[in-house]
Amino acid sequence: MDLPVFFHRLRPRGPVWGLGLFSCFLLLLGMASLGGCARWDDPAVARAKRAAAGEGEVVIGAVWPWDGHKGTLWQGIELAAEEINAKGGVLGRPLRIVKENDEASLAKGRRIAQQFVENLDMVAVIGHLNSYIALPASAMYQAGGMLYLTPGASNYQINLQGQNLVFRSSPSNRSLGTHMAEYMAALGYRRVAIAYVKDQTSQGMANYFEQRARELGLTIVDRRSYTVGAEDFSQLAHTWQDLYQFDAIYLAGNMPEGGRFISTLRRLGMTTPVMGGDGMDTPKLLELGPVAEGVVAPEIYAPGSERPQARHFEALFEKKYGHPPDSFAAQGYDALQVVVQAMERAGSTVPAQVAEALRATRDWPGVTGELSFDAFGDVPDKGLGQKVVRQGRFVSLPFPAAGEETHEK
């Protein structure tokens, strides 16, 4: 509870003796502060104390826009939680996940973050897809003494705020942009146009792509932005068709706007290859039908891998849900499992101790690949692949060998 609210409820409304009680309380509180004691209502202190007791359920929050096309993250979290509890829970205690929907709303996301902070039994939070929510929410979780891990918000700045309890298990916009520039250079493309949605995360991804592309000798012939929710891309498409010559397009955008952009290009007869960011890694792209053929996106999770962790996960997932998992289900599964393994290694659920164990994690074998966290709580060296839409489905692509120029059409 906030102190102003507490004081408002405590202030005298009746007999005079209440004033003395209230004044004494303020005096004692002031003396404690002068004595250098921790605030009695500090949620971080209270949370750590409860966690150190090692009693009752281990409570972890999960927050995401579950109704969106990336809501399958919940299936991965749910599957991991059931598996963990079937094996005895966390440090011999049952695991409980508190699920909340931020609906991609900053206001609602902040309200949920405040609710989570006020729940002193909750020691960690997984979630927030959107970076514009994850950035302010991460500061709230840090102040509340909670471990926070996002498996989706890609803004590179999330891990540069000096917060020791904040982590990301998915690639940042820097990693994604850099990887796609290297892939396009390896394919032999030399002249590239860039389109991106006008938000901080996508703009950052476009910046990192352009920086790496220029380092590799690529020429950026033009760069254009569009607003969230944009409907009409005809002017941009006509401008590119009439005034510029280029080998490929890099699209740092999301669906459905990205789909409208690609559809406009194809209607004008432009067959230029399109390479996207992680926002194009969604079944919604496949719903475009023939329009999406040949579009390439970064691959965070490769289904059908021979890695034992992937085979185990896919078998469990298909048995429970009756269909194959997608990349966000895999990321949800990995996110919870890697947090729990850090708790086991720390021998504690105290957030600061779990954070130390998580930061020390090296080459942890996840479903989406090996995870190693750096000093900032990020995974800059996490391997990325690439996949293309072929005949209405995603197909993994190899990274071209040195000197090989195989343009994906």
Side-chain angles (χ1 to χ4, degrees):
M1 183 183 298
D2 292 335
L3 280 178
V5 175
F6 185 91
F7 289 157
H8 175 76
R9 294 181 179 177
L10 197 61
R11 69 182 181 183
R13 292 181 176 81
V16 176
W17 62 265
L19 179 61
L21 177 62
F22 184 67
S23 299
C24 289
F25 177 81
L26 288 179
L27 179 61
L28 289 172
L29 183 60
M31 291 172 64
S33 298
L34 290 173
C37 299
R39 285 175 55 192
W40 68 273
D41 64 335
D42 187 337
V45 174
R47 191 181 325 279
K49 184 177 180 180
R50 290 196 189 191
E55 300 173 351
E57 298 174 315
V58 175
V59 182
I60 295 178
V63 54
W64 196 260
W66 304 113
D67 299 327
H69 58 271
K70 298 177 180 179
T72 52
L73 186 92
W74 173 249
Q75 294 177 323
I77 292 176
E78 181 181 51
L79 184 65
E82 291 178 358
E83 185 177 11
I84 290 164
N85 278 329
K87 293 180 179 179
V90 183
L91 299 171
R93 298 160 56 192
L95 171 65
R96 179 164 65 91
I97 307 298
V98 177
K99 181 184 180 185
E100 292 288 349
N101 191 341
D102 66 20
E103 299 177 357
S105 162
L106 174 58
K108 187 160 187 182
R110 294 185 66 154
R111 285 197 300 271
I112 292 170
Q114 183 62 39
Q115 292 171 13
F116 281 176
V117 169
E118 291 172 356
N119 182 352
L120 298 181
D121 290 322
M122 186 177 291
V123 292
V125 176
I126 293 170
H128 296 303
L129 168 64
N130 304 98
S131 295
Y132 59 82
I133 302 174
L135 274 164
S138 66
M140 297 172 70
Y141 298 134
Q142 175 74 32
M146 307 179 76
L147 182 85
Y148 171 57
L149 181 143
T150 174
S154 63
N155 193 316
Y156 187 59
Q157 298 300 315
I158 289 174
N159 295 93
L160 298 181
Q161 303 176 90
Q163 298 169 338
N164 70 308
L165 301 178
V166 175
F167 295 82
R168 177 188 9 246
S169 58
S170 57
S172 68
N173 56 358
R174 179 179 182 177
S175 295
L176 291 160
T178 298
H179 173 79
M180 292 308 292
E182 292 172 350
Y183 178 68
M184 292 173 77
L187 286 175
Y189 297 125
R190 290 294 173 260
R191 297 174 59 82
V192 178
I194 299 174
Y196 65 94
V197 63
K198 195 179 295 183
D199 64 32
Q200 187 178 19
T201 300
S202 299
Q203 181 175 347
M205 191 180 300
N207 290 345
Y208 293 124
F209 171 86
E210 180 173 355
Q211 178 182 342
R212 184 59 178 146
R214 291 186 184 279
E215 290 173 352
L216 294 170
L218 277 67
T219 299
I220 307 303
V221 299
D222 193 32
R223 171 175 166 148
R224 300 294 176 99
S225 66
Y226 57 88
T227 59
V228 176
E231 297 279 350
D232 187 1
F233 292 91
S234 57
Q235 182 177 356
L236 170 57
H238 277 294
T239 298
W240 278 2
Q241 186 179 48
D242 297 339
L243 301 180
Y244 297 97
Q245 292 184 347
F246 42 86
D247 305 320
I249 295 168
Y250 180 65
L251 174 59
N254 302 298
M255 295 293 290
E257 297 93 343
R260 298 182 193 123
F261 173 77
I262 296 169
S263 296
T264 303
L265 297 179
R266 301 310 186 226
R267 280 200 304 272
L268 291 178
M270 296 179 67
T271 59
T272 311
V274 176
M275 313 278 166
D278 63 329
M280 306 308 291
D281 178 14
T282 166
K284 289 292 183 181
L285 177 63
L286 304 180
E287 294 176 9
L288 296 177
V291 169
E293 286 293 305
V295 175
V296 176
E299 185 172 63
I300 297 173
Y301 159 68
S305 167
E306 291 302 311
R307 299 174 64 252
Q309 296 82 10
R311 292 202 306 270
H312 170 76
F313 163 70
E314 289 168 7
L316 286 179
F317 191 95
E318 293 198 36
K319 180 179 180 180
K320 179 174 176 61
Y321 298 107
H323 59 83
D326 63 12
S327 63
F328 280 92
Q331 289 179 79
Y333 182 87
D334 272 359
L336 182 56
Q337 292 282 11
V338 77
V339 168
V340 168
Q341 69 84 30
M343 291 176 173
E344 296 284 354
R345 290 175 55 228
S348 171
T349 61
V350 174
Q353 296 177 25
V354 179
E356 288 183 12
L358 197 56
R359 192 169 286 103
T361 298
R362 296 290 180 274
D363 301 324
W364 178 77
V367 171
T368 60
E370 293 183 343
L371 289 176
S372 296
F373 292 93
D374 65 11
F376 303 102
D378 206 353
V379 286
D381 299 323
K382 188 176 189 303
L384 277 169
Q386 47 284 323
K387 57 188 178 183
V388 64
V389 179
R390 282 186 185 153
Q391 298 181 352
R393 64 188 185 94
F394 283 119
V395 177
S396 296
L397 289 172
F399 198 92
E404 179 183 2
E405 295 190 5
T406 54
H407 292 227
E408 184 65 43
K409 300 295 186 184

